[in-house]
Structures are given as structure tokens and as C-alpha cells.
Amino acid sequence: MSMNRSLLFEKIKTGLDRYNSKIEFDLPILLYLIERTIFSDPTKHCRIKGKSSDWKNLPNDKSLFHSDPDCGLPIGNLTSQLFGNIYMSDFDHFIKRDLGIKCYGRYVDDFVLVHRDKAFLKSLIPVIREYLKTNLMLDLHPKKVYLQNSNKGVKYLGVVIKPHRIYIANRTKGNFFDAIQMQNKVVKSNKPSQEDQEIFLSSMNSYLGILKHFKTYKLRKKMIFKNLSSWWWNYVHLTGKIGKFVVSHRSYRKHRSHL
């Protein structure tokens, strides 16, 4: 939500100009398409579906409706993820080359630095803050910077990373439980529509997609079979060793018969 669109586009133009001298492609058309994608504002002339209460607990920094002028990209666009990496590429080089941090990882705007010297890491905080502000027009979140001994584990991208083990964070498990309860309310009050089923698949499979990357088979099995309403099994079933929900053939045939 904080990425400056004009700065992003300049970075892309600079990079493509450099590659165009090595690999010939239609640069004007490519730049036109990229420019249209970056500066397209989805908050203009949009049709908002759902209830206003759905937005009640959404922080302002998670919504394009509250972004600063010329800032922010839609999270749902696949191009936004690529553009995020382009936007932060110089920062990656700054951390590893200029600051000399060999153990460094970043996913969009979440990053982790590993070093043996705690005092050295603390000294880098104002340096990183200044670089982000000066070069990328970004602010380092004051409440999301913390130092942790690696043996105690570091919370990162919904998991806790330890030197020889990675496991799901309690917050992720809690969010999965809340998502299941929300879907139970849907099927309890009425027969789920095709749209309800699609929302169910999107929600449940997003969590299963994260969980299945770790040793969570027993956790997934317990969370689903203990908490998911039995009514949902009339419409969906599991595949891939509790790795994914799909619409059952019976439910699909009923939907097709009404088309």
C-alpha cells in the first residue's frame, strides 16, 4: 500500500532499457502495458460487493482507499508481487552488499536479518530506516522491529523458525480456526450457494496451502474433522492427504443441472 507508483515505473523503465540493448523486444508496447497496469486505480469506478461491516476491522494501511496519492498496488494482481520485488531489489543489494549481512531473507515487505552480534544489528535499525525513507519513500514500522535469539525462534510469514525446526505459529492456527467457524455459520443458516462454495474453497485452501508445506498433517486433520460442520461434507471433500478441498461431484452435478 505504500509503494510509490511513479518511482516503481522509473525503476522498471531503467531496467528494461538496460536489457533492451541485449535482448530485442517491443519496448514501447511493453512500457505502455506496464504503465497502464501500475497507474490503474481500482478504487475509481469500482463496484463494492458485500456489506460495509466486512471492512470494519480492516486497518487503513491495508486498503487502497486510504493510501497516499500515487501510492499502492492491488494485492490481488499477480503483477503486484513481481513489482514488489523490483521495487525492493535495490534494498536487497544494500543489505547484503553494503551492510555485509550474509544471512538475509525478504518476502515483499517482511524481512529478517541474522547476525551473531546483537549490538551490530541494533546499530543497523536507524541505517535501514533512513535508506527506506530516502530511497524508497517507505517507513520502517516502529512496532514491528524486534530482536530475538535464534534458539528461541523467529516469527516469520506465519511460522516460527528455529535453527533445526520450522512450525506453525499459534496466530496462524487461531486464524484457521476462526475461518472454519465463519464457514460453519454460512452452512448453518442456509444451503450454501455456488458463490458460498467458492468462497469456502478459497478460504480453506489458502490455509491448507500454507500448512501443507510443514509437518502439520495431524494438525490439519484435527482442525478440520473436529471443527468443520458436518453439513459441509455434502458439498466438498478433501484430496491430497488433507491438502486441498474440492467441490464434490454430487454438488457439481446439482449446480450444472440448474444452469
Side-chain angles (χ1 to χ4, degrees), residues 150-259:
S150 61
N151 290 324
K152 295 181 179 179
V154 177
K155 292 181 180 179
Y156 188 59
L157 304 180
V159 300
V160 178
I161 303 174
K162 289 189 174 183
H164 304 291
R165 182 188 174 194
I166 301 177
Y167 59 93
I168 295 297
N170 289 331
R171 180 180 179 182
T172 305
K173 289 187 285 187
N175 290 341
F176 187 27
F177 175 82
D178 292 341
I180 292 174
Q181 296 304 315
M182 184 177 297
Q183 295 304 319
N184 287 344
K185 291 181 180 179
V186 172
V187 78
K188 180 180 180 181
S189 57
N190 57 278
K191 179 180 177 180
S193 64
Q194 183 67 19
E195 183 179 4
D196 291 331
Q197 293 178 47
E198 292 174 355
I199 293 174
F200 173 91
L201 294 177
S202 297
S203 177
M204 293 296 98
N205 287 338
S206 65
Y207 283 101
L208 292 179
I210 296 173
L211 293 170
K212 69 182 182 181
H213 287 292
F214 309 96
K215 295 180 179 179
T216 59
Y217 177 82
K218 291 183 179 180
L219 172 65
R220 284 176 275 147
K221 182 177 179 180
K222 180 179 179 181
M223 289 284 286
I224 291 173
F225 289 103
K226 182 179 179 181
N227 300 296
L228 185 64
S229 170
S230 59
W231 285 100
W232 271 114
W233 300 111
N234 294 314
Y235 306 97
V236 298
H237 67 273
L238 283 164
T239 63
K241 297 182 179 179
I242 313 182
K244 183 179 181 180
F245 276 105
V246 296
V247 175
S248 66
H249 293 300
R250 179 174 59 179
S251 176
Y252 176 76
R253 286 196 299 269
K254 286 183 178 179
H255 169 66
R256 293 291 298 179
S257 66
H258 287 85
L259 292 180

Side-chain angles (χ1 to χ4, degrees), residues 32-87:
Y32 169 79
L33 293 173
I34 292 174
E35 184 177 22
R36 294 284 292 181
T37 301
I38 290 176
F39 292 100
S40 174
D41 189 349
T43 66
K44 306 298 183 183
H45 312 295
C46 64
R47 183 163 62 101
I48 299 177
K49 300 178 66 176
K51 306 182 295 295
S52 58
S53 59
D54 295 337
W55 299 65
K56 185 176 181 181
N57 297 318
L58 183 68
N60 287 347
D61 62 355
K62 301 294 183 183
S63 170
L64 285 173
F65 288 100
H66 299 282
S67 294
D68 292 334
D70 198 31
C71 289
L73 298 176
I75 294 176
N77 280 8
L78 292 177
T79 50
S80 297
Q81 302 173 38
L82 173 61
F83 292 157
N85 280 333
I86 295 173
Y87 197 85

Side-chain angles (χ1 to χ4, degrees), residues 89-102 104 113 120 124 127-128 131 135:
S89 177
D90 291 338
F91 177 73
D92 297 336
H93 290 291
F94 171 73
I95 294 293
K96 302 198 72 173
R97 181 186 62 230
D98 298 347
L99 300 185
I101 299 294
K102 294 182 179 180
Y104 161 76
L113 286 68
F120 176 66
L124 295 184
V127 177
I128 291 173
Y131 180 93
N135 297 278

Side-chain angles (χ1 to χ4, degrees), residues 88 104-112 144 156-157:
M88 298 294 289
Y104 161 76
R106 178 183 63 81
Y107 181 80
V108 192
D109 60 347
D110 289 319
F111 58 91
V112 58
K144 293 186 178 180
Y156 188 59
L157 304 180

